[in-house]
Amino acid sequence: RVRFASARGFSRGAVPIALVAVSVVCVGIAFDAIAGKPAEVPVRVGIHEALDACGAFAQVKGLNPRGDGFLAVRSGPGAGYAMRDRLPEGATFYVCGESADGRWMSVVYPRKGQTQEQCNVSSPKPGGAYRGPCAYGWVNARWVDILAG
């Protein structure tokens, strides 16, 4: 049975439903914090003002054919960061930087329907965190084949 809010407030039964909805949202936020997912690490571009915003162009190469079939794009340099996207074998992207240990690379790549040029990182740009219009994140350097740069 559906109950509606009255002029004086919520009808009996409506308040518990509202509290459950708020509780579910709060539990979801708390779960991410408890799970220890690290905060996003920005993809920095334009580190050297005279060079392209992202210094190399690469592709996904060497994935295990019996594996998942994709390279995970994460929100930071490590497997503990949230997965944002998946890149298939042969997918191309710009490499903008790498983690201190060299095991992860920050990347920018076009979303479906976009071109590489629309990413605006193949020419000099002022430095800062990349926020689009293309997709971006971090990938494991083991599966990256540098094509240029």
Side-chain angles (χ1 to χ4, degrees), residues 12 14 44 48 53 55 110:
R12 282 177 32 167
R44 312 284 302 165
H48 303 287

Side-chain angles (χ1 to χ4, degrees), residues 6 16 43 55-56 71 74 77 79 83 87 91 95 100 108 117-118 120 139:
S6 67
V43 169
L71 176 59
R74 299 194 174 273
M83 189 178 354
L87 296 175
V95 176
V108 170
E117 293 76 28
Q118 289 175 307
N120 298 319
V139 297

